[in-house]
Amino acid sequence: MNNGDVPDIVIHRLPLYLRALDQMAENGQLVTSSQELGQRLAISSAQIRKDLSHFGEFGKQGTGYDIEFLRAQLRRILQVDESWSMALVGAGALGHALVNYGGFRQRNFHIDAVFDNDATKIGTMMEQLRVEDQRYIPERVRELEIYIGVIAAPASVAQAVADMLVQGGVRAILCYAPITLSLPEDIAVEYIDPLLALQSMTYYIHKRQLIIDN
Amino acid sequence: MNNGDVPDIVIHRLPLYLRALDQMAENGQLVTSSQELGQRLAISSAQIRKDLSHFGEFGKQGTGYDIEFLRAQLRRILQVDESWSMALVGAGALGHALVNYGGFRQRNFHIDAVFDNDATKIGTMMEQLRVEDQRYIPERVRELEIYIGVIAAPASVAQAVADMLVQGGVRAILCYAPITLSLPEDIAVEYIDPLLALQSMTYYIHKRQLIIDN
DNA sequence: TAGATTGTTAATCGATTAACAATC
DNA sequence: TAGATTGTTAATCGATTAACAATC
């Protein structure tokens, strides 16, 4: 991933900027500055200006950024003004939660197919969607022209599932399984794992207690 | 966060190492090398050795690392051999999914209290737990000696909830609300937001299509 | 005009990697 | 002994920040 000239780490901050701008807009705010945005996100104003400068000049000296305009630019850059179709693999508890999660729809992401390998789940309905047999992932994903896969299946099958998604033409995978996937380098992957987050925080809790004890 | 001398980014890789080692151990493997581990995680072997060297010498020249020994060391460093108690705020769909998630328990993390501000939810049961009124977070968290808070409440109340958790003595917060929290700097925070992950991946999908089109 | 804030350059800071002596 | 792999140093690479001319 990342053949281009904009660093990954910059790309990963853009959605953060967009989110803050969305919230400002909701509050009726019209204009902001790199300083205000930075304060809100705990990021330096210089970094925000630098990040944005990779894509163009969106501000005005002396006044800052027009919020509506910058939002539109960021949505265009991230391509989140279009609607995106997603294929979900895994019809368990997590899968259900994801299908029912309104936040995706609200931001133009839609789950349009659900797969599982459990015979007792295949054929059942999840919201409007019939759970399909996992083995048909490649052909169905291609048929539906889906470019984003979401893996909510156990780690043991995650790699196989990922391979099938890629076979179907998926370009990006959001993986909830606790495993590092091995994929062609032109496929984008992101991982969601609350346990990793918890396990790094406990390191810091421990450290603070040590300091107190001394 | 991070008064110590080990960089944050190193701490965040340790749980990844531990996870891979756990999986190797499950498969009956006894020994590994920085090279094998790196290949599996898409991290350079030099980086793994460097990261570990912040904490001690855990390997043997010529043979590599004893998996059981290294796991024990990492669990000790991260303090994940102890059991951790957590307070969950938000008894909605996400809150239910989190309470029912077996992965936490399996790794020594337990949800021991649930709070909400919705009168129709307060008093109802979630698994073994009675949903309590959000306003009692500070006193109850202190009473139960809970050091980790999990926010599964809407963004609109997330900051207020975080403040109450900190008042109760929480040292770390796992935040599912789409907002950057403003907290004392000795409080560890991690965010889980699948939308941010999706919105950065769509940038890359777009880029690849451009390349193909040319 | 005076004040504010941008976009950008150069300097600083920090993280990653290559290489290798040590040694199992 | 020969082969493998560690822990560590120094070099490289990349990201962040400070500073400021440009200009609204």
Side-chain angles (χ1 to χ4, degrees):
Chain A
M1 214 58 253
N2 198 1
N3 312 313
D5 54 352
V6 182
D8 273 357
I9 195 162
V10 172
I11 301 304
H12 280 84
R13 278 192 293 261
L14 299 185
L16 224 49
Y17 301 161
L18 179 55
R19 191 172 77 178
L21 291 164
D22 286 348
Q23 286 161 0
M24 288 172 172
E26 252 174 58
N27 292 335
Q29 198 177 332
L30 298 175
V31 169
T32 188
S33 65
S34 58
Q35 182 144 132
E36 187 189 33
L37 206 46
Q39 204 141 21
R40 184 166 185 140
L41 295 170
I43 290 175
S44 82
S45 64
Q47 181 153 87
I48 291 175
R49 294 198 301 278
K50 187 105 211 280
D51 285 355
L52 295 177
S53 77
H54 283 100
F55 303 97
E57 309 193 354
F58 305 126
K60 269 201 188 54
Q61 285 102 327
T63 62
Y65 301 91
D66 179 282
I67 289 177
E68 272 316 315
F69 177 72
L70 187 52
R71 285 174 74 204
Q73 295 303 312
L74 286 172
R75 281 197 304 256
R76 176 184 57 76
I77 292 164
L78 293 170
Q79 288 302 318
V80 294
D81 35 15
E82 304 171 8
S83 187
W84 289 97
S85 199
M86 308 193 290
L88 170 68
V89 188
L94 176 59
H96 273 86
L98 291 173
V99 164
N100 287 301
Y101 178 45
F104 286 149
R105 249 159 293 150
Q106 200 188 323
R107 285 287 185 277
N108 273 343
F109 291 92
H110 300 263
I111 295 175
D112 288 332
V114 184
F115 300 92
D116 204 298
N117 63 356
D118 180 344
T120 69
K121 283 176 189 152
I122 295 166
T124 63
M125 297 301 287
M126 278 172 71
E127 296 286 292
Q128 324 298 345
L129 299 167
R130 203 182 66 85
V131 178
E132 303 180 56
D133 190 322
Q134 194 161 295
R135 80 170 79 173
Y136 301 120
I137 289 175
E139 58 185 275
R140 285 290 286 154
V141 163
R142 191 167 294 284
E143 209 171 281
L144 296 168
E145 296 187 338
I146 293 177
Y147 298 118
I148 302 177
V150 180
I151 299 181
S156 53
V157 301
Q159 181 65 57
V161 159
D163 292 339
M164 287 191 283
L165 286 167
V166 170
Q167 252 186 278
V170 146
R171 306 267 175 77
I173 291 178
L174 182 65
C175 182
Y176 284 84
I179 189 180
T180 299
L181 297 172
S182 167
L183 291 169
E185 63 128 324
D186 62 340
I187 306 293
V189 199
E190 293 282 330
Y191 299 94
I192 304 276
D193 188 342
L195 269 166
L196 295 182
L198 287 170
Q199 290 184 330
S200 60
M201 289 198 295
T202 50
Y203 170 83
Y204 292 105
I205 297 180
H206 173 238
K207 234 176 34 169
R208 208 194 134 191
Q209 286 176 331
L210 274 183
I211 292 166
I212 290 169
D213 290 350
N214 287 347
Chain B
M1 215 57 252
N2 198 0
N3 312 313
D5 54 352
V6 182
D8 273 357
I9 195 162
V10 172
I11 301 304
H12 280 83
R13 278 192 293 261
L14 300 185
L16 223 50
Y17 301 161
L18 179 55
R19 191 172 77 179
L21 292 164
D22 286 348
Q23 286 160 0
M24 288 173 173
E26 251 173 58
N27 292 333
Q29 198 177 332
L30 298 176
V31 169
T32 189
S33 64
S34 59
Q35 182 144 133
E36 187 189 33
L37 206 45
Q39 205 142 21
R40 183 167 185 140
L41 295 171
I43 290 175
S44 81
S45 63
Q47 180 152 87
I48 291 175
R49 294 198 301 279
K50 187 106 210 282
D51 284 355
L52 294 176
S53 77
H54 284 100
F55 304 96
E57 309 192 355
F58 306 126
K60 269 200 188 55
Q61 285 102 324
T63 61
Y65 301 90
D66 179 282
I67 289 177
E68 272 316 316
F69 177 72
L70 187 52
R71 284 173 75 202
Q73 295 303 312
L74 287 172
R75 280 197 304 256
R76 176 185 56 77
I77 293 164
L78 293 170
Q79 288 302 320
V80 294
D81 35 15
E82 303 172 8
S83 187
W84 289 98
S85 199
M86 308 193 290
L88 170 68
V89 188
L94 176 59
H96 273 87
L98 292 172
V99 164
N100 287 300
Y101 178 47
F104 285 149
R105 248 160 293 149
Q106 199 188 323
R107 285 288 184 277
N108 274 344
F109 291 92
H110 299 263
I111 294 175
D112 288 332
V114 184
F115 300 91
D116 204 298
N117 63 355
D118 179 344
T120 69
K121 283 174 189 154
I122 295 165
T124 63
M125 297 301 285
M126 277 172 73
E127 296 285 292
Q128 323 298 342
L129 299 168
R130 204 181 65 84
V131 177
E132 303 180 56
D133 190 322
Q134 193 161 296
R135 80 171 78 171
Y136 301 121
I137 289 175
E139 59 185 274
R140 286 289 288 153
V141 163
R142 191 168 295 282
E143 209 171 280
L144 297 167
E145 296 187 340
I146 293 176
Y147 298 116
I148 302 177
V150 179
I151 299 181
S156 52
V157 302
Q159 181 65 56
V161 159
D163 292 339
M164 287 192 283
L165 286 166
V166 170
Q167 251 187 279
V170 147
R171 306 268 175 78
I173 292 178
L174 182 63
C175 181
Y176 284 84
I179 189 180
T180 299
L181 297 171
S182 168
L183 291 168
E185 63 129 326
D186 63 340
I187 306 292
V189 199
E190 294 282 330
Y191 299 93
I192 303 276
D193 188 341
L195 269 166
L196 296 182
L198 288 171
Q199 291 183 330
S200 60
M201 289 199 294
T202 50
Y203 170 83
Y204 292 105
I205 296 180
H206 173 238
K207 232 174 37 165
R208 209 196 133 188
Q209 286 177 330
L210 274 183
I211 292 165
I212 290 168
D213 291 350
N214 288 346

